[in-house]
Amino acid sequence: MSEKVATKKTTVSIGGMTCAACVRRVEAALKSAEGIDDAAVNLATGRATLSHAPRWAGMDSIKRIIVDAGYEFLGVPEETLEDPVEAARIRDIRELKTKFIAGAVLSVFIFMGSMQEWFPFLKPVPRQAMLLILFVLATPVVFWVGSRFFSGAIKAARQKTTDMNTLVAVGAFSAYIYSTAATFFPSFFSSAGIAAHVYFDGAAMIVTLILLGRLLEAKTKGRTSMAIKRLMGLKPSTARVIRNGQEMDLPVDSVMVGDLILVRPGEKIPTDGEVVSGSSAVDESMLTGESIPVAKKEGDEVFGATLNKSGSFTFRATKVGAETALAQIIRMVEEAQGSKAPIQRLADKVASVFVPVVFGIAAITFVIWYFFVPQPIFARALLNFVSVLIIACPCAMGLATPTAVMVGTGLGAENGILIKGGESLEKAYKLTTIVFDKTGTLTKGEPEVTDIVTARDVQEKELLKTAISIESVSEHPLGQAIVDRGRNDKLAPEPVTDFEAISGLGVRAVVNGAECLMGNQRFMEQKSMAMNGLNREAKRLAGEGKTCVFVARDGQVIGLMALSDVPKATAAEAIQSLKSMGLRAAIITGDNENTARAIAQTLGIDEILAEVLPGDKAKEIQRLQDQGHVVAMVGDGINDAPALSTADIGIAIGAGTDVAVEASDITLITDDLRSVPMAIRLSFQTMKVIKQNLFWAFFYNSLGIPIAAGILYPLFGILLNPVFAAAAMAMSSVSVVSNSLRLRRSWSRTLS
């Protein structure tokens, strides 16, 4: 029996990938390499993970394969401190800006030269000399500024397909070649009885305008690596490790399983582990989204990157590096963003059919005019062939999405809604379910005193004054909420002596000579305090998902206070707006069922997903999608990032964490939840305009193609003059831009 050969894994960074088709091409190319068992390409991170035998093709071969496939080999991530994918994205945006500016400036001069009669100061220049100048100016615009369209068309041709790049390349190249021929061989045109008109301006503007769309699109991409960088930045850089009885500060990467680590108040916990001595309250909202810190004592589990709030403790590291909870969240964000199939532009789908049809019609046009009409003339057949290609120029198709997205995203920004681009809008009109994270999204994210219940003959003011006196010297996280309530009621604390904190139970203190206790019901029962019937009230309030704190004085309970994370003021109105749009609303939280149900009933939410662990939120979103729902996720915490990526549309509250914002498709600058239905309505309207634009762009071209082919000639003796073909192209672009601007007016009516 042969011994199984161990499989190794190598990661490489790849540039130039833009869609799922790119991923398939790269994977197929890499799998063909010697010794490669599997290749998994992640579009979100721009990386390919290669599974291979110890004896394999090697890095030089991998580099050659990637380059031959038409993409960039950006090296091995571990070999450089700089993220090569992010660096490539920055270079690409810089190149797009440079080429767009150059194309725009040259296009203005080319237009002026083409319309020489409109500009008196150009009239003295001989027409033939002007045509040569236009040729010189247009050549770099078409072949340098528009180089990415030609290379993209070549890539698509290698895969035996067509896309938007093919349309742009064919349209611009046809106009350029036609114009070049008219410049250098005018007699060829005069033999067909046609004036030699040039379209250098059309070729230049096609390239420049569509390049502007690519620049806008590039600026909205590349966010995933930023989200992961921010996640990685959450963990502390050093840990206070105890080895051989001595404390030493070590890099977190040097911590080993089994190390003892000391954590002081206000410090981040460096890695996952188990408390061996001491106690504290730890803010785990980074992982769970729960605003109330969790008490930790010996034997309890702690997690890396969470914040120690009060006491000091020592814990033993149980997980380090890639095994920690934070590392798992990073991995989930990568996988969720990489696995979410990019939405292919509708224009590309049309192009995949439209381009071969246009080529076919152009070829048939040439054949008919050269072989089957009386007195066939080669020049006339060729001109009609080129006219078909020119009239099919995709300028309007290229403008259809960017112009609507520009207007839509601009309107959103004016109203505090940041939309990352067309892909973020494309599924909005299909949404069926909106899932809200609870803590910090639907609620304020901080506990507040919601109920004060006193024993008989005890005034509420008296109870609250005793409570704030004790909590004013306490470090307990709930204490601040109680002190804030007292401050709002303009109460001042009284002197406190003999203060003592009892971990996990409460505090003891002497206030004005009277011994007082504050804490949970177990604390009161341990100290044999008379409950005065308040335990029944506590049970009722706990059933509403509230945390109860008892106050006792001189051996008996004098009252209790209930604390809860209350809904935001705009939450109920936002939910009702969504329901009026026919959308389902759901709440997802790591809290218990009672707490979630109390919030849901208050806001009118029907579906509750409670006690969901951070790592399972994305799974719950996936479960809803598997049931046929198109899901938007609204969240604000780090623990929401994988769910935001998994959802069809992720909506982040801008007041939340940077990671949630980076992982989302739509960001709300404020925490006003009424922006959620507003964002969805804006998405609906913008997507509607995009579809209208694509229809009219396609309609103009489709109407012009048969006319350019000469369908009206047998009946009316009409052939489409190339000048009118250019006018038709311009009209299609004008209609697209005008329709996009109409979005502003319709949105104003919506708001009013």
Side-chain angles (χ1 to χ4, degrees), residues 541-559:
L541 293 167
E544 297 175 4
K546 298 175 180 177
T547 301
C548 293
V549 178
F550 291 85
V551 181
R553 185 178 60 201
D554 294 331
Q556 57 182 322
V557 175
I558 61 171

Side-chain angles (χ1 to χ4, degrees), residues 498-510:
D498 298 333
F499 179 86
E500 180 187 5
I502 295 91
S503 178
L505 295 173
V507 296
R508 171 195 165 278
V510 175

Side-chain angles (χ1 to χ4, degrees), residues 23-59:
V23 170
R24 290 194 297 272
R25 291 171 195 165
V26 174
E27 285 183 346
L30 290 173
K31 288 177 183 177
S32 66
E34 180 187 352
I36 300 293
D37 299 322
D38 190 28
V41 176
N42 188 316
L43 181 65
T45 59
R47 293 179 179 179
T49 301
L50 310 175
S51 300
H52 58 85
R55 293 177 62 86
W56 64 301
M59 200 56 66

Side-chain angles (χ1 to χ4, degrees), residues 436-438 440-444 567-568 571 575 587 603 605 673:
F436 288 88
D437 170 56
K438 182 184 80 68
T441 302
L442 285 174
T443 66
K444 293 182 178 180
K568 292 177 180 175
I575 297 299
I587 183 172
L603 300 178
I605 296 175
L673 288 173

Side-chain angles (χ1 to χ4, degrees), residues 723-739:
V723 175
F724 294 115
M729 285 192 301
M731 281 300 299
S732 65
S733 298
V734 169
S735 69
V736 162
V737 174
S738 300
N739 192 48

